[in-house]
Amino acid sequence: MEFSKTYTAKDEHIDFQNIMDGLYYPFYMEYCRHDYIKEVLGFDFEEEAKNGVNMVLSKYTLQFVRSLKKGDEFIVTCNLMVDKSNKSVLHFKQTILLNNKVVTKAVFSGTCVKAGGGRPFLPENLLQKLTGAPEWDGEL
């Protein structure tokens, strides 16, 4: 199931070339991904942190295809995938689209860790929601 949100490129994110600074693309993806994790997966970052469970990124790969400009209204998508070999890792395949054309594509990988340390894991309530999720094929 693809999840998406619409955003507008903020003036303060535009650089001297009149395009959005590359630093901000992952932030918009994060906003969408966090909404997906909370709204669809039911994982509330704040509540879980209070209970000693932190969801963290372990890696991401991002490819720029074209640039956003001041005032552009764009869509950010998020699709969940599971890892073939490591059941404690989630992958979020994301795109930024402008006029139905890919601007940026990325895969963000993450897991959960206890605030006090220990091995990466996924909480049981999260694992239950992963049934039927596609496996990540390693492609952006």
Side-chain angles (χ1 to χ4, degrees), residues 15-41:
D15 67 15
F16 64 92
Q17 299 173 98
N18 204 31
I19 59 176
M20 190 159 75
D21 188 300
L23 169 73
Y24 294 102
Y25 294 76
F27 281 110
Y28 286 103
M29 290 176 158
E30 178 183 54
Y31 304 149
C32 180
R33 188 173 61 257
H34 281 206
D35 285 348
Y36 172 82
I37 290 167
K38 186 173 184 177
E39 294 172 25
V40 177
L41 298 181

Side-chain angles (χ1 to χ4, degrees), residues 2-3 20 36 41 46 48 57-58 64 69 78 82 93-94 111 124 127 129-130 139:
E2 185 169 84
F3 181 85
M20 190 159 75
Y36 172 82
L41 298 181
E46 212 171 312
E48 294 291 343
L57 286 178
S58 54
F64 295 98
K69 295 183 171 87
C78 185
V82 294
K93 194 169 189 175
Q94 295 191 255
T111 189
E124 190 58 42
L127 285 170
K129 304 227 172 140
L130 304 180
E139 296 292 318

Side-chain angles (χ1 to χ4, degrees), residues 55 87-90 110-112 120-127 130:
M55 185 178 283
K87 300 304 176 195
S88 66
V89 175
L90 295 176
T111 189
C112 292
F121 75 102
L122 294 177
E124 190 58 42
N125 59 341
L126 196 53
L127 285 170
L130 304 180

Side-chain angles (χ1 to χ4, degrees), residues 40-124:
V40 177
L41 298 181
F43 185 96
D44 185 316
F45 283 92
E46 212 171 312
E47 280 302 309
E48 294 291 343
K50 287 177 187 173
N51 293 325
V53 176
N54 296 321
M55 185 178 283
V56 296
L57 286 178
S58 54
K59 124 178 152 171
Y60 71 89
T61 304
L62 187 135
Q63 179 182 356
F64 295 98
V65 178
R66 43 182 65 82
S67 298
L68 291 170
K69 295 183 171 87
K70 179 179 175 178
D72 279 347
E73 186 174 274
F74 55 94
I75 296 170
V76 180
T77 67
C78 185
N79 290 290
L80 171 72
M81 294 173 292
V82 294
D83 197 275
K84 290 179 184 180
S85 58
N86 188 343
K87 300 304 176 195
S88 66
V89 175
L90 295 176
H91 303 284
F92 299 92
K93 194 169 189 175
Q94 295 191 255
T95 57
I96 294 178
L97 303 167
L98 177 65
N99 301 323
N100 293 317
K101 292 182 181 174
V102 174
V103 172
T104 307
K105 54 186 177 176
V107 173
F108 292 82
S109 302
T111 189
C112 292
V113 292
K114 293 190 185 229
R119 298 182 60 85
F121 75 102
L122 294 177
E124 190 58 42

